[in-house]
Amino acid sequence: MNIAEKTSVRISIKELPPMRVASYRVISSSPERDAATYLRDLMIMRNIPFDDLRKFGIEIPVSENDHRLGLRCYEYWVCLPDKIKSLVGTTQKKIPRRIYAVLRIELPDENPFNAIATGWFDLHDWIGESEYEPAIHDPNRYMMEEQIEIDNITYMDLYYPVSFYDYAD
């Protein structure tokens, strides 16, 4: 039995391939929407099929002052097709292949601050009980969100970077 099946939370372990992404970071009261809109508009303007590409988001900490002002920071990534060498107005990043513990949330937008936060807590707790260890201190490993649609239902996959314990002495 897989460790993910031992809990009430359904976790899967996935390896994401190396990715080249266009990244855009926003600090605002609605940074997820603002960053996604910016990248969508930029890509549509350049005739790049935005809807067909994988997209990831990362919550970024803000200063105490920004937090007091109700501001948050979000970095949004769009995986670039090979034919696109760069995208002016974005930062290009190369994301190496990594292993993630993944939790899927159904209808994350219905109560996002509860559903997504609870998902991250569940993932963190699960990792603490599993044979995996958190791998969040490496600057090339990111805790990411990916919103997807399957059969007209919206889901969000939460990706928590992990590595397998090496018990060898």
Side-chain angles (χ1 to χ4, degrees), residues 14-169:
K14 294 184 181 178
E15 181 180 53
L16 287 180
M19 300 181 285
R20 193 171 53 86
V21 301
S23 170
Y24 187 72
R25 187 178 286 193
V26 173
I27 297 174
S28 73
S29 59
S30 56
E32 297 90 346
R33 183 187 66 220
D34 297 344
T37 299
Y38 174 83
L39 277 172
R40 184 195 69 229
D41 291 350
L42 186 66
M43 295 183 94
I44 288 171
M45 190 170 58
R46 290 179 171 74
N47 295 317
I48 300 169
F50 180 81
D51 291 337
D52 298 338
L53 302 173
R54 286 187 89 170
K55 296 167 259 323
F56 295 90
I58 303 163
E59 192 80 27
I60 306 290
V62 294
S63 69
E64 285 185 35
N65 188 51
D66 284 345
H67 183 71
R68 275 193 301 277
L69 294 171
L71 301 176
R72 296 180 302 108
C73 183
Y74 200 74
E75 186 170 316
Y76 196 74
W77 296 350
V78 177
C79 294
L80 293 172
D82 291 337
K83 67 180 181 177
I84 307 296
K85 298 303 176 202
S86 65
L87 190 59
V88 175
T90 69
T91 300
Q92 186 173 308
K93 294 185 175 189
K94 290 184 180 183
I95 310 304
R97 176 185 354 264
R98 294 289 184 241
I99 297 171
Y100 296 86
V102 181
L103 178 131
R104 178 164 287 171
I105 300 169
E106 186 174 342
L107 303 172
D109 295 331
E110 286 188 359
N111 191 354
F113 291 107
N114 184 36
I116 297 169
T118 299
W120 284 120
F121 285 120
D122 289 346
L123 258 174
H124 184 76
D125 288 347
W126 179 87
I127 291 165
E129 299 291 322
S130 76
E131 68 263 26
Y132 295 91
E133 62 183 41
I136 57 177
H137 302 296
D138 177 338
N140 289 316
R141 296 185 187 206
Y142 303 91
M143 294 173 64
M144 305 181 301
E145 304 166 345
E146 180 180 26
Q147 194 156 331
I148 56 176
E149 282 204 26
I150 301 171
D151 297 328
N152 293 319
I153 298 173
T154 301
Y155 297 91
M156 179 176 284
D157 286 348
L158 304 179
Y159 289 82
Y160 196 116
V162 294
S163 56
F164 194 71
Y165 278 119
D166 182 1
Y167 291 107
D169 291 324

